[in-house]
Amino acid sequence: MASPSERTQALSNLTDSKGLAVGASNAELGQDTNGIVPSIQNVVSTTNLSVNLDLKEIALRARNAEYNPKRFAAVIMRIRDPKTTALIFSSGKIVVTGAKSIDAARFASRKYARIVQKLGYESAKFSEFKVQNIVASCDVQFPVRLEPLAHAHSNFCSYEPELFPGLIYRMMEPKVVLLVFVSGKVVLTGAKVKQEIYDAFKNIYPVLCLFQKRT
């Protein structure tokens, strides 16, 4: 019988290392997690305009922009659609946060690039778009016994309730960090693609079921 690693290698183009089909739909994920699917709360992305910027000039001419170099070396700019915030650096690098999807993050990044272009930087171009972090959350709808979970999975867990109320679970594959709260709320962070969020939750859900607090 093939080992898990051999099966993974053989199916590498079809499945992730835990057996979930790459590109699996929310419905398919829900079949393995009692219908619970994590909801994306924030996508952090970066873009490079490949041009040096005068931040003071941008802050003076652009709307919804602020710049205080003594506090932070970037212009903070906001747009309403999609509702996001950008950190614009003099190097031409832009960090966009607050988007609810990867498509929205890309769309917002293009909008910020266009705003800069209209301020006189015609050579600015939208390039090197990259997702740096995806944050999602969900509720497993039952309380979790965090202390026994931390003890049983001590190689992956950190739980110090006097410092932070949640258990920190550092999953190795996919490389995602989960914050698990006694209420059953779960926050997932560190993913670079949406599928990693779904894969991580599919992996952790049966573990949380084992440590469900019985009332």
Side-chain angles (χ1 to χ4, degrees):
M1 184 175 179
S3 67
S5 60
E6 290 170 333
R7 290 198 301 270
T8 298
Q9 184 65 33
L11 300 174
S12 59
N13 292 327
L14 298 175
T15 63
D16 73 298
S17 63
K18 297 298 181 180
L20 180 64
V22 172
S25 67
N26 289 4
E28 290 171 320
L29 170 66
Q31 293 174 1
D32 298 307
T33 56
N34 200 29
I36 303 166
V37 179
S39 172
I40 294 178
Q41 303 298 329
N42 186 23
V43 176
V44 180
S45 63
T46 54
T47 304
N48 190 357
L49 302 182
S50 301
V51 64
N52 291 325
L53 306 173
D54 184 333
L55 298 186
K56 186 175 181 180
E57 179 187 20
I58 288 174
L60 288 172
R61 296 181 59 194
R63 291 183 295 177
N64 301 318
E66 58 186 84
Y67 179 49
N68 187 341
K70 292 182 180 179
R71 296 183 60 186
F72 191 61
V75 167
I76 301 172
M77 188 181 294
R78 296 177 176 85
I79 58 175
R80 293 183 179 178
D81 184 24
K83 189 176 181 181
T84 52
T85 299
L87 305 177
I88 303 175
F89 295 87
S90 60
S91 63
K93 298 255 177 90
I94 299 180
V95 179
V96 175
T97 183
K100 299 294 186 181
S101 70
I102 294 175
D103 287 342
R106 183 180 289 105
F107 182 48
S109 297
R110 287 186 179 278
K111 274 196 166 184
Y112 288 115
R114 185 61 180 150
I115 290 170
V116 173
Q117 287 173 341
K118 289 182 176 180
L119 293 175
Y121 295 91
E122 290 86 358
S123 61
K125 58 182 180 179
F126 175 80
S127 65
E128 300 177 27
F129 175 81
K130 185 177 181 180
V131 173
Q132 300 293 344
N133 186 23
I134 300 175
V135 180
S137 65
C138 60
D139 188 340
V140 297
Q141 299 172 3
F142 57 77
V144 180
R145 296 179 296 125
L146 298 183
E147 200 164 326
L149 170 56
H151 181 73
H153 291 247
S154 58
N155 288 342
F156 309 103
C157 291
S158 172
Y159 181 50
E160 300 180 72
E162 65 277 6
L163 300 178
F164 181 70
L167 176 146
I168 302 171
Y169 195 109
R170 301 182 187 279
M171 193 170 288
M172 300 301 292
E173 183 61 39
K175 198 170 184 180
V176 170
V177 176
L178 302 95
L179 309 178
V180 183
F181 297 89
V182 67
S183 64
K185 294 277 198 310
V186 179
V187 177
L188 306 95
T189 185
K192 297 295 178 72
V193 296
K194 187 166 61 173
Q195 192 62 40
E196 290 177 347
I197 292 289
Y198 298 151
D199 293 352
F201 184 63
K202 180 176 181 282
N203 293 343
I204 200 68
Y205 184 75
V207 175
L208 299 181
C209 289
L210 289 174
F211 294 91
Q212 179 176 353
K213 184 182 289 185
R214 306 295 178 181
T215 55

